[in-house]
Amino acid sequence: MFNNPETQKQIIETIDILENLENLMDNAPSPAIEEIIQQAWVKIRATLPNDFQQATRLDASAQGMRQYLRVQAFFTNPTENSISKEDLEAYYQNLSEPIDEDEADFYFPD
C-alpha cells in the first residue's frame, strides 16, 4: 500500500473527503441529515483498501487514519519520516485497547 504513490495519493484524498463529512456531521441540522451523512461516510470509507480499513478500525476518524499513515511512513523509512512521540504512543495505545462499541457503532452502524 505504501509503496504505490498513486494508491497513497488516493487514500489521502479519500481521507480529506471523510474529514469534510465528519465536519458536516458535527454541524448537521437534524439527526436525519446526520445519519445520511454518516451513511455516505461509511460508503466512502469502504472504498479504501481492505488492509487499511482493518488497520484503522480502532480509530477510523480522519485524524486516526492520518496518524496511521504517519506511523506507517515512519516504520517504512524512519530516517526520512519522523513522527511525534504522541503519534507513536497513540498508535500503540490503539493497538492494545479493546474496541469501544459505542465508538465503533458511530463509524460502523448496523
Side-chain angles (χ1 to χ4, degrees), residues 3-109:
N3 297 332
N4 183 334
E6 185 59 32
T7 301
Q8 188 170 12
K9 180 181 178 222
Q10 289 175 349
I11 289 172
I12 292 168
E13 290 171 350
T14 302
I15 292 170
D16 290 342
I17 292 167
L18 292 171
E19 182 174 47
N20 288 328
L21 288 173
E22 289 171 12
N23 292 331
L24 288 172
M25 278 188 274
D26 290 342
N27 297 307
S30 71
I33 292 174
E34 181 179 359
E35 185 177 332
I36 291 167
I37 297 168
Q38 182 180 9
Q39 290 171 3
W41 186 97
V42 169
K43 287 181 181 181
I44 291 169
R45 186 173 190 281
T47 66
L48 293 167
N50 287 335
D51 57 340
F52 185 81
Q53 289 182 53
Q54 283 302 103
T56 58
R57 182 158 172 89
L58 291 175
D59 187 354
S61 68
Q63 179 182 352
M65 288 186 245
R66 283 197 180 96
Q67 180 182 58
Y68 178 76
L69 287 176
R70 287 190 302 272
V71 171
Q72 289 305 307
F74 170 76
F75 288 151
T76 301
N77 189 344
T79 57
E80 289 187 23
N81 301 299
S82 63
I83 59 171
S84 69
K85 176 183 173 186
E86 292 78 18
D87 278 347
L88 195 57
E89 286 175 350
Y91 174 79
Y92 282 112
Q93 184 177 15
N94 283 334
L95 289 179
S96 64
E97 288 189 16
I99 294 175
D100 178 346
E101 293 300 325
D102 291 336
E103 184 77 10
D105 285 346
F106 173 78
Y107 291 111
F108 306 101

